[in-house]
Amino acid sequence: MDLAVKAKIMDADKLRRTLIRIAHEILERNRGTENLVLIGIRRRGVPLAERLQRMIEEIEGVKVPLGILDITLYRDDLTTLSVQPVIHRTEIPFNINGKKVVLVDDVLFTGRTLRAALDALIDLGRPQNIQLAVVVDRGHRELPVRADYVGKNVPTSRKEEIAVQLAEIDGVDQVLIRELPEEADVNP
């Protein structure tokens, strides 16, 4: 089903500036990089976490540890994804016990992805705290969660979708609002 582009809400420059601001906010809130780790949620959270890692290194001169979290087996909609969902590896080559973990994702919507990520993280250890950084918060929460760092709040309808496109995956950096045709609904 084709989604029509309704609006471009971020171009490459605005996305870059947004991530720089988030990097500064992370450093300010955590008073630097001590015990700080970044963990990207597969798929688009990973390149975003890598970018934040580079930005924090440019600002502080410290390369904070970076991990990759696959939440496929923790999703509450696993049986509706496909008959045989593709499982990727979680790659967290450090101990998260006592760490300040910043989970990174592209869009915060219902909160179910974050719930799955929290379950997966807690299976790996006991961090000091877990924070969430997202490029876009689009509302429509089904669980009582919020992001600590938000690039942009974008109220949407259920017929709309936020598409964060990244050069590493999509060949372009931009954030779009796309809309389904009138007879369809993105999230029934």
Side-chain angles (χ1 to χ4, degrees):
M1 187 176 319
D2 289 332
L3 299 172
V5 174
K6 185 174 180 181
K8 181 190 284 191
I9 55 176
M10 284 188 200
D11 60 13
D13 285 336
K14 181 151 186 165
L15 179 58
R16 182 184 54 77
R17 286 191 305 271
T18 296
L19 291 174
I20 290 170
R21 177 178 49 80
I22 289 172
H24 280 281
E25 289 175 0
I26 290 169
L27 290 168
E28 185 175 326
R29 176 175 177 171
N30 292 286
R31 296 184 175 103
T33 60
E34 187 176 350
N35 287 322
L36 183 68
V37 300
L38 299 172
I39 297 180
I41 299 173
R42 280 201 196 271
R43 178 139 190 246
R44 285 175 177 76
V46 174
L48 291 168
E50 292 168 343
R51 291 182 192 192
L52 286 170
Q53 181 191 44
R54 286 192 301 272
M55 291 171 180
I56 288 170
E57 185 175 12
E58 288 174 15
I59 297 164
E60 290 289 307
V62 175
K63 188 172 188 171
V64 298
L66 175 75
I68 298 171
L69 186 66
D70 181 69
I71 62 164
T72 305
L73 292 176
Y74 291 88
R75 294 177 58 114
D76 61 5
D77 61 350
L78 185 61
T79 57
T80 64
L81 289 178
S82 99
V83 175
Q84 194 165 11
V86 178
I87 310 297
H88 298 280
R89 286 188 353 185
T90 287
E91 299 172 35
I92 301 178
F94 49 85
N95 189 328
I96 66 168
N97 289 323
K99 300 295 185 194
K100 300 173 195 171
V101 173
V102 179
L103 278 174
V104 182
D105 204 6
D106 56 349
V107 178
L108 179 57
F109 181 34
T110 62
R112 292 185 180 278
T113 295
L114 178 59
R115 188 224 33 94
L118 292 172
D119 286 349
L121 271 180
I122 298 307
D123 277 353
L124 298 173
R126 191 173 194 282
Q128 177 181 329
N129 63 50
I130 301 172
Q131 303 161 40
L132 176 64
V134 296
V135 174
V136 175
D137 182 342
R138 66 170 284 196
H140 301 283
R141 216 69 81 240
E142 294 175 4
L143 299 172
V145 297
R146 67 171 177 76
D148 300 279
Y149 313 101
V150 178
K152 188 172 184 70
N153 287 292
V154 181
T156 60
S157 78
R158 290 276 187 173
K159 294 193 179 299
E160 295 172 325
E161 170 188 276
I162 298 291
V164 175
Q165 297 180 332
L166 302 173
E168 297 90 335
I169 296 171
D170 308 294
V172 64
D173 280 342
Q174 63 184 3
V175 179
L176 306 172
I177 298 178
R178 299 190 300 201
E179 190 168 44
L180 279 170
E182 282 300 313
E183 66 278 357
D185 189 344
V186 174
N187 306 290

